[in-house]
Amino acid sequence: MKKLSILAIAFAAVVFAACGGKKSTQNVEDVDSLKSFEQQQIEASIKMNLDSLAGVFGNLKQLPLIKTADGKLTLSAEVKKVKPEFLLNAAIADEATTMAEKYRTLAALQVDKQIAQLYDLPVEDYDKAITKLAADINDPSFKAVEDEATLYEATEALYNAMNDNNRINFFWQMAATSLVEQLYVASQNQDAFLAAFDDDAAANSTFRIVLLQDAITRLSQYDPEIVPVAEALKPLDVLNATTVAELKEQLKQAEQQIAAARKALTK
């Protein structure tokens, strides 16, 4: 049996199906209200499932992309000769209007800022856009993250903080956007960005999709704004690789689906 199947079966032992719930609407004009979602409305069984999902998700290793022995990401001089035209323009921060869009855009730009640094490109525009979005969001949960440069990393500490602040819907939207952006980047230059992947990392990356789809599908019952996120992720269930070779082939075959998911989450 493939490793991913084993992981899924093991995880299923601690996750239970749930349904039903109330929906609420968001007043876009009032940024501070965050009324797109009433966390208190979530049934206890679904909340337990989300906590379990977050625990597993947060403890997974981050995608390695390119790593040297000292653990720092790097790119070869040859790769750096071709500038990454696939990165998002920092100006998209100005197009984010709803709170959900701001969280998702923040996550995507954090990833792209890291990639831009790998190419030795200036990141001042990213810094300005990220600072603006963080100020607009004004989420005290971010204080749980030691390094603001890693806000895109969906850690258990960040989930717990956002849970305490009634923002777990935004946690999952950030996690989804971050993963999709990283998969998109990897799909643009597999030779460079999958060089540090082993089979465990490949299985890890696709297992994240399983966890995200589960959590977001559950939350979509309560938050109408998450429905498009669930729809954006749905085509990515074709990514179920358990080896690097499988991941490379699947990223190639699903390149259009990944690009479409990215567009949907960062528009």
Side-chain angles (χ1 to χ4, degrees):
M1 183 181 292
K2 290 186 177 181
K3 181 176 180 180
L4 186 59
S5 298
I6 296 174
L7 286 171
I9 292 172
F11 184 73
V14 297
V15 181
F16 308 94
C19 61
K22 300 179 180 178
K23 291 185 178 180
S24 57
T25 58
Q26 177 182 20
N27 180 0
V28 178
E29 300 297 328
D30 187 358
V31 172
D32 293 329
S33 69
L34 302 177
K35 292 303 182 182
S36 64
F37 166 82
E38 289 292 345
Q39 189 164 307
Q40 293 81 0
Q41 292 181 358
I42 297 181
E43 293 180 7
S45 59
I46 292 184
K47 180 58 169 61
M48 179 181 66
N49 293 338
L50 292 171
D51 291 346
S52 296
L53 287 164
V56 176
F57 193 94
N59 286 321
L60 292 174
K61 293 181 180 179
Q62 294 298 316
L63 302 191
L65 295 182
I66 299 294
K67 273 191 175 181
T68 58
D70 62 4
K72 293 182 180 179
L73 299 177
T74 186
L75 292 176
S76 67
E78 183 178 357
V79 170
K80 290 179 183 179
K81 290 179 181 178
V82 181
K83 297 307 179 185
E85 300 294 337
F86 51 83
L87 295 182
L88 293 166
N89 191 311
I92 68 167
D94 297 328
E95 301 173 11
T97 56
T98 69
M99 187 62 70
E101 289 172 352
K102 291 177 187 292
Y103 272 98
R104 295 199 302 264
T105 302
L106 173 63
L109 291 181
Q110 287 281 13
V111 172
D112 282 12
K113 174 187 172 181
Q114 302 298 311
I115 303 303
Q117 288 177 320
L118 298 182
Y119 280 90
D120 297 329
L121 296 175
V123 295
E124 287 80 4
D125 288 345
Y126 284 111
D127 285 333
K128 291 177 182 178
I130 290 167
T131 298
K132 176 185 181 299
L133 289 168
D136 289 347
I137 292 170
N138 192 28
D139 188 345
S141 310
F142 292 163
K143 294 179 181 179
V145 182
E146 294 182 4
D147 183 359
E148 287 187 2
T150 59
L151 274 179
Y152 65 90
E153 295 182 0
T155 64
E156 190 171 9
L158 181 59
Y159 173 84
N160 290 334
M162 296 185 79
N163 179 32
D164 291 340
N165 289 297
N166 295 329
R167 304 194 188 202
I168 60 172
N169 58 329
F170 298 123
F171 169 87
W172 290 110
Q173 293 195 58
M174 288 182 71
T177 306
S178 173
L179 178 59
V180 169
E181 188 66 15
Q182 292 179 71
L183 291 173
Y184 178 80
V185 168
S187 72
Q188 299 303 298
N189 190 338
Q190 291 195 28
D191 290 340
F193 289 105
L194 295 184
F197 275 62
D198 56 19
D199 290 346
D200 284 339
N204 179 337
S205 64
T206 55
F207 186 46
R208 285 172 174 270
I209 297 173
V210 175
L211 300 177
L212 283 167
Q213 288 177 327
D214 193 345
I216 289 173
T217 297
R218 295 175 190 276
L219 277 171
S220 65
Q221 301 175 63
Y222 297 89
D223 185 355
E225 282 202 341
I226 287 189
V227 174
V229 179
E231 293 175 348
L233 290 180
K234 189 174 181 179
L236 300 188
D237 58 11
V238 298
L239 299 176
N240 57 8
T242 59
T243 67
V244 176
E246 290 177 348
L247 182 60
K248 287 182 177 180
E249 183 61 28
Q250 290 179 9
L251 285 180
K252 184 186 302 181
Q253 294 178 352
E255 187 172 348
Q256 291 185 349
Q257 292 97 313
I258 296 170
R262 183 215 204 196
K263 183 177 180 180
L265 294 175
T266 58
K267 64 180 180 181

